[in-house]
Each structure stands twice: as structure tokens, then as C-alpha cells.
Amino acid sequence: MQNIRYPKIFIRSKTELARHISHKGFPRGVALSLINDTITHFNEYWKDNKKYSNPAKGKYVRNAKGTPLGLLLKKINERILKPYDKILPNFIFGGISGLDHVKAATHLLGKKRRRTLLKTDIKCFFEQINAGRVRDFFVKKCQCTPKPSRLLSDLCCIPLGPKGSGDQVKAIARGFSTSTRLAVWCNLYIFLRLNWLIKRRLNGHDPRLAIYIDDIGITASRVPKDKMEKLCKEVKELLETADSNQRLPLNQEKTKIISYQEGMEHLGLRLEKNSLSIGNTTRAKRDKLKTKLQSGAASMERPQIKKIYRTLKFYERYVESVQQ
């Protein structure tokens, strides 16, 4: 398994944190004042985004936009985490500069045809990563000292459940700008183990792995379905029975093995022989809007329908343009 390279940040104090996020238009003194203000008023600066939360699944999206906390998290994300995107392995796509779900799906096309897709996703991905793991990432991997590491963890993590729950367990806050990159870095070791397992089990079949936030896609060419089924069990065992502080349970109902004859879809996109196209849901929405426009939609609705239709067409052209 390849060596893991982690960011070497060396933050040893709150003042050094201020220095790391400062720049020409954002002086160190202003940065330090922002940090102190955010520490004092932390709970006032974030709220639950009820529109996008799913309490039934234990998923609460948090919102700190337009607040000092939101600004501080943005600075941490851009000035401390983002510069190290380039050292991440090539199968990581979510939350990384210049990469997206379309490029993740393109990666899965591979070089050989007659591919089979194994897809799954991780349950409550962000909620699985507790504050202790974030703190350990900064201390043990980034070589920061404990105090600023604890501060960074406290800024990026909040109690599980709805705001005010009083839950003693803190985890990465779903919706904060730092969350996706932190989630990747905190799970990098297990993701590399997963990649190693796939390459070993599917050697000779042009195996590909693409991780996009909590979605995992694995493809290979001319591989028997029973071999993919066996791999699926091993993937599940690896992710769910890792170290007790690093378990990533999978969504069993979303775990599927699909052959090229059945029509492979992943991340809302259809994987063709050597190209991508929009998935069935997006295609149906586009066609419905087109029919409304052709049949003479009400004049009040027409501008909005046309706007959405054009957006979908632009997205479709983008998908088709991103090829290997």
C-alpha cells in the first residue's frame, strides 16, 4: 500500500493559526480578532438548516454563512486545507479543487469495456467522524500542538442531533465549509486500504475506485459477477470493522452490483462504453420541461421553465464534454 502523505502545518498557537489564515487583504491582527470573537460567540454563529436536514436519518445540515464563524471556517478551508489537495490520491474527488461528481464517474469508465459497477455509500458519513479524530488528525498527522488542534476541532465540530440537543458526542458539522476536506483526511488511511484491496482482488480487470464524499464506486472489466459479490462483502467488512474509532457503515439498500448490459448509473450519471450521459432522473425532468415549452406553458410560468430547461441543457453538455 502506498505511503500516505499528510499536510505538514505545524500550528503551535492561536497566534500561528491567525498567521496561517492571514494574507495581504486580511492582516494577522484582524484574523486574531476574528478567532477570538468566534470562540466567544461560537453557538450564536451557527444554526440548523431545517430545509436540507433529515432528522429521521440523524442528518442535520448546519449553516454558518454570513457570520464570523462562517468567514473563519472559509479561511481555514482555503488557507490551511485546500493547498494540500494536490497530494491526495487520484481516486478522491469530493470537495477537491477542480474535481466533481462528473469527473469521478468519468474515472470509473476505465480503459477496457464490458465493465461491472459496484456502488454503495456510507451512512451518516460526517456524523461518523468525531471531534477526537479531527483533533488527532491535526496533532498526529499535521504535527500541530494539542492546544490549537483542539481549537480547530472545536471550530469544525458540533454536538450530534439538532441544535441544543446537549449530546456529548461532537462530530464534523455537515454543511460547514471545512467538512468535506476534513472527512477525507480523517479517513484517508482506510480509503487507501480500500483501494489496495480492490487492486489486489481485481488485478487484471482494470479496476477503478472513485470516492465522491460518501459515495463509493468501483468498476472493473470482464469480471464475473460472483467475484464482484465476494469483493462487496470484503469492502463491507473492511469499512465496517476497522478500528472502533474509524468505522464507516454502509447503506445496504444502496449497495448494488450492475453489469454493463443492465445499464450502469452512478452519481446520477449513466456510464456508457466510453462516455457519460445524464441519468434517467435528469433526462426525464429535461424531457418534461421540453414538453411543457412545446405545448405552450402559461406565460407566467414560461420564463422559469425555460431557465431551468437551459440549466439542464448546459449541465448535459458539460457531462458530455468531460471525457477521458
PDB file of all heavy atoms in Angstrom, residues 292-315:
ATOM      1  N   LYS A 292     -43.441  20.802 -21.865  1.00  0.00           N
ATOM      2  CA  LYS A 292     -44.211  21.954 -21.387  1.00  0.00           C
ATOM      3  C   LYS A 292     -43.978  23.174 -22.273  1.00  0.00           C
ATOM      4  O   LYS A 292     -44.904  23.912 -22.594  1.00  0.00           O
ATOM      5  CB  LYS A 292     -43.833  22.282 -19.942  1.00  0.00           C
ATOM      6  CG  LYS A 292     -44.458  21.370 -18.908  1.00  0.00           C
ATOM      7  CD  LYS A 292     -44.134  21.870 -17.502  1.00  0.00           C
ATOM      8  CE  LYS A 292     -44.823  21.015 -16.446  1.00  0.00           C
ATOM      9  NZ  LYS A 292     -44.558  21.512 -15.075  1.00  0.00           N
ATOM     10  N   LEU A 293     -42.734  23.389 -22.667  1.00  0.00           N
ATOM     11  CA  LEU A 293     -42.407  24.528 -23.517  1.00  0.00           C
ATOM     12  C   LEU A 293     -43.023  24.381 -24.908  1.00  0.00           C
ATOM     13  O   LEU A 293     -43.530  25.345 -25.492  1.00  0.00           O
ATOM     14  CB  LEU A 293     -40.885  24.685 -23.633  1.00  0.00           C
ATOM     15  CG  LEU A 293     -40.145  25.165 -22.376  1.00  0.00           C
ATOM     16  CD1 LEU A 293     -38.644  25.066 -22.573  1.00  0.00           C
ATOM     17  CD2 LEU A 293     -40.543  26.597 -22.024  1.00  0.00           C
ATOM     18  N   GLN A 294     -42.983  23.167 -25.436  1.00  0.00           N
ATOM     19  CA  GLN A 294     -43.519  22.930 -26.778  1.00  0.00           C
ATOM     20  C   GLN A 294     -45.041  22.989 -26.816  1.00  0.00           C
ATOM     21  O   GLN A 294     -45.627  23.342 -27.838  1.00  0.00           O
ATOM     22  CB  GLN A 294     -43.035  21.572 -27.300  1.00  0.00           C
ATOM     23  CG  GLN A 294     -41.548  21.528 -27.604  1.00  0.00           C
ATOM     24  CD  GLN A 294     -41.078  20.158 -28.023  1.00  0.00           C
ATOM     25  OE1 GLN A 294     -41.720  19.146 -27.725  1.00  0.00           O
ATOM     26  NE2 GLN A 294     -39.934  20.112 -28.705  1.00  0.00           N
ATOM     27  N   SER A 295     -45.675  22.643 -25.676  1.00  0.00           N
ATOM     28  CA  SER A 295     -47.142  22.631 -25.635  1.00  0.00           C
ATOM     29  C   SER A 295     -47.721  23.982 -25.261  1.00  0.00           C
ATOM     30  O   SER A 295     -48.933  24.127 -25.146  1.00  0.00           O
ATOM     31  CB  SER A 295     -47.626  21.566 -24.658  1.00  0.00           C
ATOM     32  OG  SER A 295     -47.158  21.847 -23.346  1.00  0.00           O
ATOM     33  N   GLY A 296     -46.844  24.958 -25.027  1.00  0.00           N
ATOM     34  CA  GLY A 296     -47.316  26.300 -24.719  1.00  0.00           C
ATOM     35  C   GLY A 296     -47.653  26.486 -23.258  1.00  0.00           C
ATOM     36  O   GLY A 296     -48.829  26.619 -22.883  1.00  0.00           O
ATOM     37  N   ALA A 297     -46.641  26.482 -22.431  1.00  0.00           N
ATOM     38  CA  ALA A 297     -46.846  26.688 -20.992  1.00  0.00           C
ATOM     39  C   ALA A 297     -47.402  28.080 -20.741  1.00  0.00           C
ATOM     40  O   ALA A 297     -47.225  29.002 -21.544  1.00  0.00           O
ATOM     41  CB  ALA A 297     -45.526  26.512 -20.256  1.00  0.00           C
ATOM     42  N   ALA A 298     -48.082  28.223 -19.612  1.00  0.00           N
ATOM     43  CA  ALA A 298     -48.666  29.521 -19.252  1.00  0.00           C
ATOM     44  C   ALA A 298     -47.585  30.593 -19.265  1.00  0.00           C
ATOM     45  O   ALA A 298     -46.448  30.356 -18.866  1.00  0.00           O
ATOM     46  CB  ALA A 298     -49.314  29.436 -17.872  1.00  0.00           C
ATOM     47  N   SER A 299     -47.938  31.779 -19.738  1.00  0.00           N
ATOM     48  CA  SER A 299     -46.960  32.856 -19.911  1.00  0.00           C
ATOM     49  C   SER A 299     -46.231  33.202 -18.618  1.00  0.00           C
ATOM     50  O   SER A 299     -45.061  33.561 -18.636  1.00  0.00           O
ATOM     51  CB  SER A 299     -47.651  34.104 -20.465  1.00  0.00           C
ATOM     52  OG  SER A 299     -48.703  34.504 -19.591  1.00  0.00           O
ATOM     53  N   MET A 300     -46.890  33.064 -17.468  1.00  0.00           N
ATOM     54  CA  MET A 300     -46.260  33.389 -16.192  1.00  0.00           C
ATOM     55  C   MET A 300     -45.208  32.336 -15.816  1.00  0.00           C
ATOM     56  O   MET A 300     -44.208  32.652 -15.185  1.00  0.00           O
ATOM     57  CB  MET A 300     -47.316  33.494 -15.080  1.00  0.00           C
ATOM     58  CG  MET A 300     -48.239  34.697 -15.217  1.00  0.00           C
ATOM     59  SD  MET A 300     -49.453  34.769 -13.891  1.00  0.00           S
ATOM     60  CE  MET A 300     -48.408  35.025 -12.479  1.00  0.00           C
ATOM     61  N   GLU A 301     -45.470  31.081 -16.205  1.00  0.00           N
ATOM     62  CA  GLU A 301     -44.550  30.002 -15.857  1.00  0.00           C
ATOM     63  C   GLU A 301     -43.402  29.859 -16.853  1.00  0.00           C
ATOM     64  O   GLU A 301     -42.335  29.360 -16.513  1.00  0.00           O
ATOM     65  CB  GLU A 301     -45.302  28.663 -15.792  1.00  0.00           C
ATOM     66  CG  GLU A 301     -46.361  28.581 -14.711  1.00  0.00           C
ATOM     67  CD  GLU A 301     -47.086  27.248 -14.744  1.00  0.00           C
ATOM     68  OE1 GLU A 301     -47.152  26.628 -15.832  1.00  0.00           O
ATOM     69  OE2 GLU A 301     -47.577  26.821 -13.693  1.00  0.00           O
ATOM     70  N   ARG A 302     -43.621  30.291 -18.071  1.00  0.00           N
ATOM     71  CA  ARG A 302     -42.679  30.028 -19.165  1.00  0.00           C
ATOM     72  C   ARG A 302     -41.242  30.497 -18.894  1.00  0.00           C
ATOM     73  O   ARG A 302     -40.292  29.723 -19.113  1.00  0.00           O
ATOM     74  CB  ARG A 302     -43.216  30.648 -20.449  1.00  0.00           C
ATOM     75  CG  ARG A 302     -42.492  30.162 -21.685  1.00  0.00           C
ATOM     76  CD  ARG A 302     -43.169  30.660 -22.957  1.00  0.00           C
ATOM     77  NE  ARG A 302     -42.483  30.118 -24.125  1.00  0.00           N
ATOM     78  CZ  ARG A 302     -42.704  28.913 -24.636  1.00  0.00           C
ATOM     79  NH1 ARG A 302     -43.620  28.121 -24.069  1.00  0.00           N
ATOM     80  NH2 ARG A 302     -42.049  28.490 -25.693  1.00  0.00           N
ATOM     81  N   PRO A 303     -41.009  31.734 -18.412  1.00  0.00           N
ATOM     82  CA  PRO A 303     -39.630  32.163 -18.166  1.00  0.00           C
ATOM     83  C   PRO A 303     -38.883  31.273 -17.184  1.00  0.00           C
ATOM     84  O   PRO A 303     -37.704  30.960 -17.382  1.00  0.00           O
ATOM     85  CB  PRO A 303     -39.805  33.585 -17.608  1.00  0.00           C
ATOM     86  CG  PRO A 303     -41.111  34.041 -18.148  1.00  0.00           C
ATOM     87  CD  PRO A 303     -41.967  32.820 -18.161  1.00  0.00           C
ATOM     88  N   GLN A 304     -39.575  30.845 -16.101  1.00  0.00           N
ATOM     89  CA  GLN A 304     -38.924  29.987 -15.107  1.00  0.00           C
ATOM     90  C   GLN A 304     -38.649  28.598 -15.670  1.00  0.00           C
ATOM     91  O   GLN A 304     -37.580  28.026 -15.454  1.00  0.00           O
ATOM     92  CB  GLN A 304     -39.805  29.880 -13.852  1.00  0.00           C
ATOM     93  CG  GLN A 304     -39.190  29.077 -12.714  1.00  0.00           C
ATOM     94  CD  GLN A 304     -37.927  29.708 -12.136  1.00  0.00           C
ATOM     95  OE1 GLN A 304     -37.642  30.887 -12.382  1.00  0.00           O
ATOM     96  NE2 GLN A 304     -37.164  28.935 -11.397  1.00  0.00           N
ATOM     97  N   ILE A 305     -39.612  28.058 -16.432  1.00  0.00           N
ATOM     98  CA  ILE A 305     -39.427  26.746 -17.045  1.00  0.00           C
ATOM     99  C   ILE A 305     -38.264  26.789 -18.030  1.00  0.00           C
ATOM    100  O   ILE A 305     -37.412  25.893 -18.066  1.00  0.00           O
ATOM    101  CB  ILE A 305     -40.722  26.295 -17.765  1.00  0.00           C
ATOM    102  CG1 ILE A 305     -41.829  26.019 -16.739  1.00  0.00           C
ATOM    103  CG2 ILE A 305     -40.464  25.038 -18.599  1.00  0.00           C
ATOM    104  CD1 ILE A 305     -43.176  25.727 -17.348  1.00  0.00           C
ATOM    105  N   LYS A 306     -38.198  27.848 -18.824  1.00  0.00           N
ATOM    106  CA  LYS A 306     -37.127  27.998 -19.810  1.00  0.00           C
ATOM    107  C   LYS A 306     -35.766  28.104 -19.125  1.00  0.00           C
ATOM    108  O   LYS A 306     -34.781  27.531 -19.590  1.00  0.00           O
ATOM    109  CB  LYS A 306     -37.381  29.236 -20.668  1.00  0.00           C
ATOM    110  CG  LYS A 306     -36.413  29.376 -21.844  1.00  0.00           C
ATOM    111  CD  LYS A 306     -36.720  30.604 -22.680  1.00  0.00           C
ATOM    112  CE  LYS A 306     -38.009  30.427 -23.459  1.00  0.00           C
ATOM    113  NZ  LYS A 306     -38.216  31.564 -24.408  1.00  0.00           N
ATOM    114  N   LYS A 307     -35.728  28.809 -18.001  1.00  0.00           N
ATOM    115  CA  LYS A 307     -34.478  28.964 -17.251  1.00  0.00           C
ATOM    116  C   LYS A 307     -33.976  27.625 -16.734  1.00  0.00           C
ATOM    117  O   LYS A 307     -32.785  27.286 -16.863  1.00  0.00           O
ATOM    118  CB  LYS A 307     -34.691  29.936 -16.089  1.00  0.00           C
ATOM    119  CG  LYS A 307     -33.440  30.193 -15.263  1.00  0.00           C
ATOM    120  CD  LYS A 307     -33.724  31.170 -14.131  1.00  0.00           C
ATOM    121  CE  LYS A 307     -32.488  31.406 -13.285  1.00  0.00           C
ATOM    122  NZ  LYS A 307     -32.769  32.327 -12.149  1.00  0.00           N
ATOM    123  N   ILE A 308     -34.875  26.829 -16.158  1.00  0.00           N
ATOM    124  CA  ILE A 308     -34.492  25.514 -15.625  1.00  0.00           C
ATOM    125  C   ILE A 308     -34.067  24.583 -16.762  1.00  0.00           C
ATOM    126  O   ILE A 308     -33.086  23.844 -16.654  1.00  0.00           O
ATOM    127  CB  ILE A 308     -35.644  24.890 -14.816  1.00  0.00           C
ATOM    128  CG1 ILE A 308     -35.988  25.779 -13.609  1.00  0.00           C
ATOM    129  CG2 ILE A 308     -35.276  23.489 -14.337  1.00  0.00           C
ATOM    130  CD1 ILE A 308     -37.235  25.362 -12.870  1.00  0.00           C
ATOM    131  N   TYR A 309     -34.816  24.642 -17.878  1.00  0.00           N
ATOM    132  CA  TYR A 309     -34.500  23.789 -19.035  1.00  0.00           C
ATOM    133  C   TYR A 309     -33.116  24.117 -19.581  1.00  0.00           C
ATOM    134  O   TYR A 309     -32.323  23.216 -19.873  1.00  0.00           O
ATOM    135  CB  TYR A 309     -35.561  23.978 -20.112  1.00  0.00           C
ATOM    136  CG  TYR A 309     -35.298  23.180 -21.366  1.00  0.00           C
ATOM    137  CD1 TYR A 309     -35.456  21.795 -21.370  1.00  0.00           C
ATOM    138  CD2 TYR A 309     -34.871  23.803 -22.537  1.00  0.00           C
ATOM    139  CE1 TYR A 309     -35.201  21.049 -22.522  1.00  0.00           C
ATOM    140  CE2 TYR A 309     -34.614  23.075 -23.680  1.00  0.00           C
ATOM    141  CZ  TYR A 309     -34.781  21.701 -23.672  1.00  0.00           C
ATOM    142  OH  TYR A 309     -34.521  20.970 -24.801  1.00  0.00           O
ATOM    143  N   ARG A 310     -32.804  25.394 -19.701  1.00  0.00           N
ATOM    144  CA  ARG A 310     -31.498  25.798 -20.204  1.00  0.00           C
ATOM    145  C   ARG A 310     -30.373  25.358 -19.267  1.00  0.00           C
ATOM    146  O   ARG A 310     -29.290  24.966 -19.714  1.00  0.00           O
ATOM    147  CB  ARG A 310     -31.461  27.312 -20.394  1.00  0.00           C
ATOM    148  CG  ARG A 310     -32.221  27.795 -21.621  1.00  0.00           C
ATOM    149  CD  ARG A 310     -32.212  29.307 -21.705  1.00  0.00           C
ATOM    150  NE  ARG A 310     -32.849  29.791 -22.921  1.00  0.00           N
ATOM    151  CZ  ARG A 310     -33.116  31.062 -23.167  1.00  0.00           C
ATOM    152  NH1 ARG A 310     -32.799  31.992 -22.254  1.00  0.00           N
ATOM    153  NH2 ARG A 310     -33.686  31.430 -24.295  1.00  0.00           N
ATOM    154  N   THR A 311     -30.652  25.423 -17.948  1.00  0.00           N
ATOM    155  CA  THR A 311     -29.663  24.970 -16.961  1.00  0.00           C
ATOM    156  C   THR A 311     -29.378  23.481 -17.133  1.00  0.00           C
ATOM    157  O   THR A 311     -28.224  23.042 -17.094  1.00  0.00           O
ATOM    158  CB  THR A 311     -30.151  25.254 -15.534  1.00  0.00           C
ATOM    159  OG1 THR A 311     -30.362  26.659 -15.371  1.00  0.00           O
ATOM    160  CG2 THR A 311     -29.142  24.784 -14.502  1.00  0.00           C
ATOM    161  N   LEU A 312     -30.437  22.691 -17.345  1.00  0.00           N
ATOM    162  CA  LEU A 312     -30.266  21.255 -17.538  1.00  0.00           C
ATOM    163  C   LEU A 312     -29.522  20.942 -18.836  1.00  0.00           C
ATOM    164  O   LEU A 312     -28.694  20.026 -18.883  1.00  0.00           O
ATOM    165  CB  LEU A 312     -31.626  20.551 -17.528  1.00  0.00           C
ATOM    166  CG  LEU A 312     -32.330  20.475 -16.174  1.00  0.00           C
ATOM    167  CD1 LEU A 312     -33.681  19.799 -16.316  1.00  0.00           C
ATOM    168  CD2 LEU A 312     -31.488  19.720 -15.156  1.00  0.00           C
ATOM    169  N   LYS A 313     -29.809  21.705 -19.878  1.00  0.00           N
ATOM    170  CA  LYS A 313     -29.119  21.506 -21.146  1.00  0.00           C
ATOM    171  C   LYS A 313     -27.629  21.858 -21.018  1.00  0.00           C
ATOM    172  O   LYS A 313     -26.775  21.170 -21.577  1.00  0.00           O
ATOM    173  CB  LYS A 313     -29.763  22.351 -22.238  1.00  0.00           C
ATOM    174  CG  LYS A 313     -31.115  21.845 -22.712  1.00  0.00           C
ATOM    175  CD  LYS A 313     -31.012  20.478 -23.388  1.00  0.00           C
ATOM    176  CE  LYS A 313     -30.295  20.539 -24.707  1.00  0.00           C
ATOM    177  NZ  LYS A 313     -30.220  19.200 -25.378  1.00  0.00           N
ATOM    178  N   PHE A 314     -27.351  22.925 -20.272  1.00  0.00           N
ATOM    179  CA  PHE A 314     -25.956  23.300 -20.034  1.00  0.00           C
ATOM    180  C   PHE A 314     -25.249  22.194 -19.267  1.00  0.00           C
ATOM    181  O   PHE A 314     -24.104  21.824 -19.578  1.00  0.00           O
ATOM    182  CB  PHE A 314     -25.902  24.613 -19.249  1.00  0.00           C
ATOM    183  CG  PHE A 314     -24.515  25.062 -18.907  1.00  0.00           C
ATOM    184  CD1 PHE A 314     -23.730  25.735 -19.841  1.00  0.00           C
ATOM    185  CD2 PHE A 314     -23.968  24.812 -17.654  1.00  0.00           C
ATOM    186  CE1 PHE A 314     -22.432  26.141 -19.537  1.00  0.00           C
ATOM    187  CE2 PHE A 314     -22.678  25.205 -17.338  1.00  0.00           C
ATOM    188  CZ  PHE A 314     -21.914  25.876 -18.280  1.00  0.00           C
ATOM    189  N   TYR A 315     -25.915  21.632 -18.253  1.00  0.00           N
ATOM    190  CA  TYR A 315     -25.349  20.536 -17.467  1.00  0.00           C
ATOM    191  C   TYR A 315     -25.120  19.311 -18.351  1.00  0.00           C
ATOM    192  O   TYR A 315     -24.062  18.656 -18.267  1.00  0.00           O
ATOM    193  CB  TYR A 315     -26.298  20.185 -16.319  1.00  0.00           C
ATOM    194  CG  TYR A 315     -25.916  18.963 -15.530  1.00  0.00           C
ATOM    195  CD1 TYR A 315     -24.742  18.912 -14.797  1.00  0.00           C
ATOM    196  CD2 TYR A 315     -26.745  17.836 -15.527  1.00  0.00           C
ATOM    197  CE1 TYR A 315     -24.392  17.780 -14.075  1.00  0.00           C
ATOM    198  CE2 TYR A 315     -26.403  16.708 -14.810  1.00  0.00           C
ATOM    199  CZ  TYR A 315     -25.228  16.677 -14.083  1.00  0.00           C
ATOM    200  OH  TYR A 315     -24.880  15.551 -13.371  1.00  0.00           O
TER     201      TYR A 315
END
